[in-house]
Amino acid sequence: MRMIGLIGGMSWESSAEYYRILNQGVRDRLGPTASARCLLWSFDFAEIEALQHLGDWDALGNRLVDAAQRLEAGGAEGLLICTNTMHRLAAQVEAAVEMPLLHIADPTAERIKAAGFTTVGLLGTAFTMEQAFYKDRLAERHGLRVLVPDIADRAVVHRVIYEELVAGKVIADSRAAYRAIIQRLVAAGAEAVILGCTEIMLLIGAEDSPVPVFDTTALHAAAAVDWILAAPNDSHGKAKV
């Protein structure tokens, strides 16, 4: 079993889900006493959130690189960044370490394509919905057409993430608001919806959408289970970012 390094704490609510899914997946595959070999670097999200909203991506990149290097020095053989938004810095992090990075968008896109969908709605932080780093990967590497909510709906999605979900608050009115936003994405042509923030799965599930939803947290962690349990020679060098 290979050791995976997790850069988490962004927020710890979703990092806890990563830890649960990783260990459940290994136990299901290897037996009732088995668990995942993993290292977790957990940030104080208050510091990360402040830098995000200041737009200080250089400082954020330095912090992620430091975390990745410390995980590698501690014995990690592969890396997860346990948040969609911070994949804005994925290439910088990957360049700073020798171990492969498992990018969060890829297992999600592969599952969407396997289901036969080509047009997807994307929910996430404003950074993920509005900046190019995530949408372009889905479009250019995987051939998906990506729709995002309008500016008012993006503000609602972002606010709920930062004011509620990262604090573990699951509010019925916010679920209703997300359901309405999903309905509008479907009306615009979305065949499926990506839950492109690792906390959204706390609020929204399959029952909240008229089209399939793809939870990046679950799919990323499941892909990590496959990687952990694969023979070392199944992976040749770094994963591409």
Side-chain angles (χ1 to χ4, degrees):
M1 188 191 306
R2 292 186 282 194
M3 182 178 288
I4 193 83
L6 291 78
I7 301 180
M10 299 176 287
S11 67
W12 72 258
E13 294 283 346
S14 60
S15 299
E17 291 299 312
Y18 270 91
Y19 187 73
R20 179 186 63 79
I21 295 166
L22 283 171
N23 283 290
Q24 268 189 341
V26 169
R27 182 176 64 189
D28 290 346
R29 301 263 287 270
L30 297 185
T33 62
S35 55
R37 296 180 68 235
C38 62
L39 298 175
L40 170 63
W41 181 278
S42 189
F43 280 104
D44 174 2
F45 187 58
E47 298 174 1
I48 299 299
E49 183 269 341
L51 290 169
Q52 287 176 339
H53 285 98
L54 286 172
D56 194 345
W57 295 98
D58 288 340
L60 289 164
N62 291 337
R63 291 189 182 210
L64 259 63
V65 164
D66 178 66
Q69 290 174 336
R70 289 173 185 266
L71 288 167
E72 188 168 54
E77 300 166 83
L79 184 65
L80 298 183
I81 301 174
C82 301
T83 157
N84 288 270
T85 296
M86 297 300 279
H87 276 74
R88 187 184 192 277
L89 302 162
Q92 180 179 341
V93 172
E94 188 196 30
V97 295
E98 294 300 318
M99 60 184 167
L101 171 72
L102 284 66
H103 196 291
I104 196 169
D106 294 337
T108 302
E110 293 298 338
R111 188 68 65 87
I112 289 167
K113 291 187 294 183
F117 303 123
T118 58
T119 302
V120 294
L122 174 62
L123 300 179
T125 67
F127 312 111
T128 300
M129 292 185 290
E130 295 173 1
Q131 297 178 16
F133 70 94
Y134 202 90
K135 294 181 291 184
D136 282 1
R137 189 177 186 94
L138 293 172
E140 295 171 6
R141 183 166 295 212
H142 297 285
L144 297 176
R145 177 176 175 237
V146 182
L147 307 178
V148 297
D150 65 24
I151 188 168
D153 283 348
R154 293 198 302 270
V156 171
V157 173
H158 185 87
R159 181 194 63 76
V160 169
I161 291 167
Y162 279 93
E163 294 182 9
E164 299 171 14
L165 298 181
V166 300
K169 298 178 182 177
V170 177
I171 297 174
D173 286 349
S174 296
R175 179 177 290 113
Y178 268 52
R179 285 174 171 171
I181 291 166
I182 289 170
Q183 291 281 1
R184 287 190 280 276
L185 284 170
V186 172
E191 302 166 318
V193 172
I194 296 174
L195 306 185
C197 171
T198 52
E199 284 80 25
I200 294 178
M201 52 87 73
L202 302 172
L203 182 69
I204 292 296
E207 67 278 7
D208 298 301
S209 173
V211 297
V213 296
F214 291 83
D215 172 16
T216 54
T217 304
L219 293 169
H220 197 205
V225 172
D226 289 340
W227 185 87
I228 288 169
L229 298 179
N233 61 7
D234 288 349
S235 176
H236 302 285
K238 286 188 175 184
K240 293 182 180 179
V241 174

